[in-house]
């Protein structure tokens, strides 16, 4: 029954935002706060996420594209100008460089005169999902785990209101995880972290640290299943923290989570339908009081097209505000308590998750099971895509009801926001000016202390804060930890052996065999991911389908330079090169690669590209010589395979 005298407090309203420069992002944050947003969620660009400076070779074309560049204390100072950090709840979506970005945040708070112990917010700080799905790792898994727990131990002592880790199952679902896999892989990560953290904090403080761990989850379109998944998360976490770690206080066993609803299901076709998808997905994490999110951030309806504008973000924010303040949702107890259908589904999900957890535990835990979990995600994603292709899963406007009136929302020159092309040059110029005016001796001393701390095993945070104050850069911090812990290339999850999913591929397999005969060797396809973009789902699925169609594939994973891809094309004798870029840096990276291919005598090898590529950019790429451009609307992988075979077929070329 409704209790009109008491209404629950709503969740935190966040918008995941950051782009171009710290100054432009600061203006966006202050505007969003003025519109009623109640927390900040900072998106960082790929160089910042992977520990490179904005002028590094690998950063070319990536600066300010998917988030804000923060290369030093001056950038962080500018990012939060006129925003009192002591009063703000800030979520920073940062993982490999989390110790460094938190160090910069602390240094800026100190400059503002804030009481650092009063700072509240979150660093995502989850490296396991980076190896599985997102790809912005810097170091190998074991030293990465150490840095995660270093941050946690430091915040216990100095930032008691801060969440030192936001275990992120969001990208697991984006990579194709089933609900059971999302539950199990996220909980296995939490177990790995808590097992390590237990050795770094006093026994009496450990339950409180368990209570500081938070989660960041995904909610897809099957919102009843997703709601049940959240209830399963709550119950499993309570069970694990009570039985495995002996946490007696229920307050410290509470499953605390924020959510961004699913971006994987946002469609380029009829994108206005995404508004409904986002709303329904939000219901999954708000309807059930016992499993309600603590913070919600929603994607914009047009993210499958390009960068959302401030108006698009405002629209998503208004969706949250209408649900929280216009409806009566927050006046009721849990609506699904003792519902037999819900209870059955929750029990089923928990059973599946426990089976996966047992498998991972038998392998030695999440760190040792990374390759296994990655291969499971690639297989689950292939299954998901296959069901959409054969219409077993309906996606409105994509594989059913595809005829539609043109949308006025997507017409006109300003239908999506375009990143400022001058932003990268501006960022690089300010970075170089920063280096020229700082105290270089102080920086060198701080970096030497950082390397020593990394090598000795002492907590990485104090030395990182010292380096931040001294004026060191993100790239210098990254180089210091790389020099100590080494580089790492994660598993791709794509085996060389064909899968058993060859149903419906007979015609394409025959074409591949015929073209291979005409070539005098097996048809060879190189899939490359240039730049710093770690979203590898598309590349993995293209490589796996090409393999199942009978092609000889080369796919070496993420973060390759154009030079490395060209060298691989030469070495493998590739007949076609496919490039996957989702960060928006397609034009400069592909231009560089095409020039290098011509220089290497590979100008005759066709190049295809895929990603979130606006049509104007697609035309530009085709004018450069790219043979085919694919975007999210091109969901039928077999059509892409047919195109590739046609491009390579020497008989077709001879007939021209």
């Amino acid at each position: 029954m409704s209790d009109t005298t008491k209404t629950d407090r709503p969740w935190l309203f966040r918008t995941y935002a950051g782009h171009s420069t710290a100054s432009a992002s600061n203006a966006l944050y202050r505007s969003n706060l003025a519109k009623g947003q109640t927390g900040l969620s900072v998106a960082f660009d790929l160089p910042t996420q992977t520990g490179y400076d904005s002028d590094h070779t690998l950063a070319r074309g990536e600066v300010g594209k998917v988030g804000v560049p923060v290369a030093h204390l001056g950038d962080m100072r500018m990012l939060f100008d006129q925003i009192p950090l002591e009063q703000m709840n800030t979520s920073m979506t940062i993982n490999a460089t989390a110790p460094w970005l938190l160090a910069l945040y602390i240094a800026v708070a100190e400059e503002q005169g804030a009481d650092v112990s009063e700072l509240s917010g979150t660093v995502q700080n989850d490296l396991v999902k980076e190896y599985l799905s997102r790809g912005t790792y810097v170091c190998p898994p074991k030293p990465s785990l150490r840095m995660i727990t270093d941050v946690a131990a430091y915040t216990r002592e100095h930032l008691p209101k801060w969440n030192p880790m936001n275990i992120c199952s969001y990208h697991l679902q984006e990579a194709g995880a089933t609900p059971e896999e999302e539950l199990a892989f996220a909980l296995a990560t939490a177990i790995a972290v808590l097992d390590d953290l237990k050795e770094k904090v006093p026994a009496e403080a450990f339950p409180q640290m368990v209570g500081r761990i938070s989660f960041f989850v995904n909610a897809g379109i099957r919102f009843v299943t997703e709601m049940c998944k959240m209830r399963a998360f709550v119950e499993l976490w309570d069970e694990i923290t009570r039985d495995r770690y002996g946490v007696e206080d229920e307050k410290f066993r509470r499953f605390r989570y924020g959510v961004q609803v699913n971006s994987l299901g946002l469609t380029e076709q009829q994108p206005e339908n995404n508004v409904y998808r986002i709303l329904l997905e939000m219901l999954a994490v708000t309807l059930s009081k016992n499993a309600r999110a603590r913070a919600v951030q929603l994607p914009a309806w047009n993210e499958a097209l390009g960068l959302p504008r401030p108006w698009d973000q405002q629209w998503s924010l208004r969706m949250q505000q209408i649900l929280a303040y216009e409806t009566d949702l927050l006046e009721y107890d849990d609506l699904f308590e003792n519902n037999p259908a819900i209870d059955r589904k929750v029990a089923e999900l928990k059973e599946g998750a426990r089976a996966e957890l047992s498998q991972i535990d038998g392998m030695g835990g999440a760190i040792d099971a990374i390759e296994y979990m990655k291969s499971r995600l690639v297989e689950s994603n292939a299954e998901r895509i296959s069901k959409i292709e054969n219409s077993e899963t309906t996606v409105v406007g994509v594989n059913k009801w595809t005829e539609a009136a043109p949308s006025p929302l997507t017409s006109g020159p300003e239908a999506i926001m375009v990143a400022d092309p001058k932003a990268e040059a501006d960022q690089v110029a300010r970075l170089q000016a920063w280096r020229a005016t700082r105290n270089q001796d102080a920086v060198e001393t701080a970096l030497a202390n950082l390397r020593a701390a990394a090598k000795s095993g002492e907590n990485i945070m104090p030395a990182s804060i010292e380096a931040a104050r001294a004026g060191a850069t993100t790239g210098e911090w990254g180089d210091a930890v790389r020099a100590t812990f080494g580089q790492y290339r994660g598993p791709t999850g794509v085996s060389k052996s064909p899968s058993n999913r060859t149903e419906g591929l007979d015609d394409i397999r025959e074409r591949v065999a015929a073209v291979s005969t005409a070539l005098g060797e097996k048809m060879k396809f190189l899939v490359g991911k240039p730049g710093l973009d770690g979203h590898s789902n598309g590349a993995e699925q293209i490589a796996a389908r090409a393999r199942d169609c009978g092609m000889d594939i080369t796919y070496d994973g993420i973060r390759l330079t154009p030079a490395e891809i060209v060298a691989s094309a030469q070495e493998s004798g590739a007949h076609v090169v496919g490039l996957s870029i989702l960060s928006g840096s397609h034009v400069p990276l592909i231009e560089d690669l095409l020039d290098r291919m011509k220089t290497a005598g590979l100008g005759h090898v066709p190049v295809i590209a895929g990603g979130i590529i606006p049509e104007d950019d697609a035309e530009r790429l085709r004018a450069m010589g790219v043979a085919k451009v694919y975007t999210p609307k091109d969901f039928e992988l077999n059509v892409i395979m047919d195109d590739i075979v046609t491009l390579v077929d020497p008989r077709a070329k001879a007939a021209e």
Side-chain angles (χ1 to χ4, degrees):
M1 190 171 178
S2 172
D3 177 6
T4 54
T5 62
K6 182 180 181 297
T7 300
D8 292 334
R9 288 175 60 189
W11 50 91
L12 279 171
F13 301 161
R14 284 193 170 122
T15 305
Y16 182 53
H19 65 89
S20 304
T21 63
S23 178
S25 297
N26 172 262
L28 178 63
Y29 294 164
R30 287 194 282 128
S31 170
N32 284 347
L33 289 168
K35 291 172 185 171
Q37 187 173 304
T38 52
L40 291 179
S41 184
V42 183
F44 296 97
D45 74 353
L46 288 172
T48 305
Q49 292 183 50
T50 50
Y52 292 104
D53 281 335
S54 303
D55 58 355
H56 192 280
T57 305
L58 280 170
R60 185 177 176 225
E62 305 279 20
V63 177
K65 282 289 197 317
V66 300
V68 59
V70 175
H72 49 75
L73 183 60
D75 283 344
M76 189 66 96
R77 189 186 291 146
M78 186 184 294
L79 185 64
F80 292 107
D81 181 43
Q82 299 179 61
I83 299 175
L85 298 187
E86 196 172 329
Q87 300 169 29
M88 189 51 52
N89 187 299
T90 305
S91 171
M92 293 195 284
T93 305
I94 196 71
N95 295 285
T97 53
W100 174 242
L101 271 298
L102 180 57
L104 289 171
Y105 190 86
I106 290 168
V108 167
E110 289 172 339
E111 288 184 347
Q112 289 186 356
D115 178 352
V116 170
S117 69
E118 290 296 313
L119 296 180
S120 65
T122 306
V123 276
Q124 194 163 91
N125 201 24
D126 176 359
L127 266 297
V128 175
K129 63 93 178 173
E130 296 301 319
Y131 305 122
L132 298 179
S133 54
R134 181 60 186 83
T136 67
Y137 51 77
V138 171
C139 300
K142 286 184 179 174
S144 292
L145 178 63
R146 171 208 155 171
M147 286 194 282
I148 290 170
T149 53
D150 276 0
V151 168
Y154 185 86
T155 58
R156 181 197 73 81
E157 199 169 346
H158 301 283
L159 285 78
K161 296 182 177 180
W162 195 269
N163 297 321
M165 188 188 190
N166 202 212
I167 293 159
C168 180
S169 73
Y170 175 83
H171 290 99
L172 301 179
Q173 187 178 134
E174 297 289 296
T178 64
E180 293 87 347
E181 287 166 349
E182 187 180 345
L183 285 162
F185 295 178
L187 292 169
T189 298
I191 289 167
V193 169
L194 290 177
D195 284 354
D196 195 64
L197 180 59
K198 206 169 185 182
E199 307 304 315
K200 293 187 177 181
V201 300
E204 65 274 12
F206 184 72
Q208 193 173 12
M209 288 307 299
V210 172
R212 296 310 307 169
I213 299 293
S214 60
F215 289 75
F216 184 68
V217 306
N218 203 328
I221 193 66
R222 292 170 59 81
F223 75 91
V224 177
T225 297
E226 294 293 316
M227 184 190 68
C228 292
K229 179 190 74 182
M230 296 321 307
R231 292 172 74 94
F233 252 135
V234 168
E235 293 176 21
L236 286 167
W237 183 241
D238 184 73
E239 183 182 299
I240 289 166
T241 53
R242 183 191 65 232
D243 298 346
R244 186 180 178 108
Y245 297 110
V247 178
E248 295 178 2
D249 191 331
E250 286 186 12
K251 180 175 66 177
F252 297 143
R253 299 204 306 263
R254 190 177 300 144
F255 185 81
R256 299 160 59 252
Y257 80 99
V259 66
Q260 168 155 324
V261 305
N262 191 280
S263 292
L264 181 68
L266 301 184
T267 64
E268 183 179 1
Q269 303 94 318
Q270 300 178 29
E272 60 278 1
N273 295 340
N274 293 331
V275 174
Y276 305 133
R277 293 186 176 105
I278 293 165
L279 173 60
L280 290 168
E281 290 165 354
M282 180 172 61
L283 294 180
V285 294
T286 53
L287 279 178
S288 173
K289 180 178 179 177
N290 293 350
R292 184 170 294 148
R294 294 280 294 270
V296 177
Q297 63 190 43
L298 302 179
W301 66 281
N302 55 353
E303 283 191 16
L305 306 179
L307 283 174
R309 301 156 296 185
W311 182 86
D312 305 314
Q313 293 188 329
Q314 174 186 293
W315 201 9
S316 287
L317 176 62
R318 295 293 182 251
M319 198 183 296
Q320 295 200 55
Q321 291 167 326
I322 290 166
L323 179 64
Y325 295 116
E326 293 193 22
T327 78
D328 58 354
L329 175 67
L330 298 179
E331 297 172 16
Y332 286 83
D333 291 336
D334 195 285
L335 306 176
F336 302 96
E337 199 67 21
N338 299 317
N339 179 308
I342 298 296
D343 290 347
R344 275 196 306 273
K345 185 62 179 176
V346 171
E348 177 189 314
L349 290 171
K350 285 166 65 177
E351 183 182 357
R354 284 197 193 102
E356 278 288 355
L357 277 167
S358 177
Q359 175 87 3
I360 293 165
D361 203 38
M363 294 177 169
I367 298 297
D368 292 323
I370 283 170
E371 194 162 343
Y372 161 77
M373 291 191 286
K374 178 67 176 177
S375 65
R376 285 296 302 263
L377 290 178
V378 171
E379 288 300 307
S380 294
N381 205 17
E383 185 77 16
R384 181 191 69 83
I385 290 170
S386 176
K387 286 179 177 178
I388 295 172
E389 284 184 290
N390 64 29
S391 295
E392 188 178 336
T393 297
T394 296
V395 182
V396 174
V398 172
N399 61 8
K400 201 165 186 180
W401 303 296
T402 55
E403 294 298 317
S407 168
L409 291 173
T410 59
S411 60
E414 296 180 0
I416 59 168
M417 193 170 79
V418 178
D420 182 357
K422 297 176 184 174
E424 182 167 337
D426 172 68
Q427 171 68 12
V428 168
R430 284 186 298 99
L431 169 61
Q432 292 170 348
W434 175 268
R435 289 200 199 102
T437 55
R438 66 188 181 175
N439 183 330
Q440 193 61 32
D441 289 341
V443 171
E444 292 300 335
T445 300
L447 289 172
N449 292 340
L450 176 63
R451 288 190 293 271
K455 192 171 182 180
S456 71
E458 66 184 87
N459 194 299
I460 204 82
M461 282 302 299
S464 296
I465 295 169
E466 180 195 348
R469 291 175 184 140
T473 66
T474 296
E476 289 165 339
W477 185 91
D479 287 344
V481 297
R482 275 186 281 265
T484 307
F485 300 135
Q487 299 266 26
Y488 180 75
R489 185 168 290 284
T492 66
V494 181
S495 74
K496 285 280 189 181
S497 306
S499 72
N500 58 7
R501 273 190 313 278
T502 55
E503 187 179 344
L505 300 182
D506 291 347
D507 290 348
I508 302 173
R509 287 173 65 85
E510 286 176 15
R511 289 196 68 203
V512 170
V515 168
S516 296
T517 300
L519 290 167
E521 60 179 336
K522 197 170 184 181
M523 180 180 162
K524 296 173 182 174
F525 179 28
L526 169 66
V527 178
K529 278 199 64 63
L532 296 176
D533 170 36
H535 285 103
S536 56
N537 307 335
E540 290 156 5
Q541 294 307 317
I542 290 287
R545 183 63 59 86
R547 171 204 66 195
D548 292 346
C549 288
M551 301 181 207
D552 185 351
I553 59 156
T554 299
Y555 173 56
D556 295 324
I558 64 172
R559 299 224 299 262
L560 299 170
T561 64
E564 287 172 325
I565 293 172
V566 171
S568 181
Q570 282 184 305
E571 185 182 340
S572 66
H575 299 113
V576 60
V577 173
L579 304 175
S580 171
I581 308 169
L582 272 78
S583 64
S585 57
H586 38 265
V587 171
L589 286 172
I590 292 175
E591 188 172 31
D592 185 8
L593 184 132
L594 290 172
D595 288 344
R596 290 175 184 275
M597 287 189 70
K598 286 172 189 167
T599 302
L602 299 176
H604 62 287
V605 176
V607 172
I608 62 176
I612 298 176
I613 303 174
E615 184 51 35
D616 288 351
D617 283 357
E619 287 180 18
R620 189 171 167 189
L621 292 175
R622 286 188 282 264
M624 284 180 200
V626 174
K628 293 278 185 180
V629 177
Y630 300 99
T631 66
K633 72 177 183 301
D634 301 298
F635 69 96
E636 294 180 280
L637 299 190
N638 288 353
V639 173
I640 297 173
M641 295 302 119
D642 256 333
D643 290 347
I644 292 169
V645 177
T646 300
L647 283 172
V648 173
D649 193 342
R651 299 166 301 174
K653 292 177 182 176
E656 288 176 358

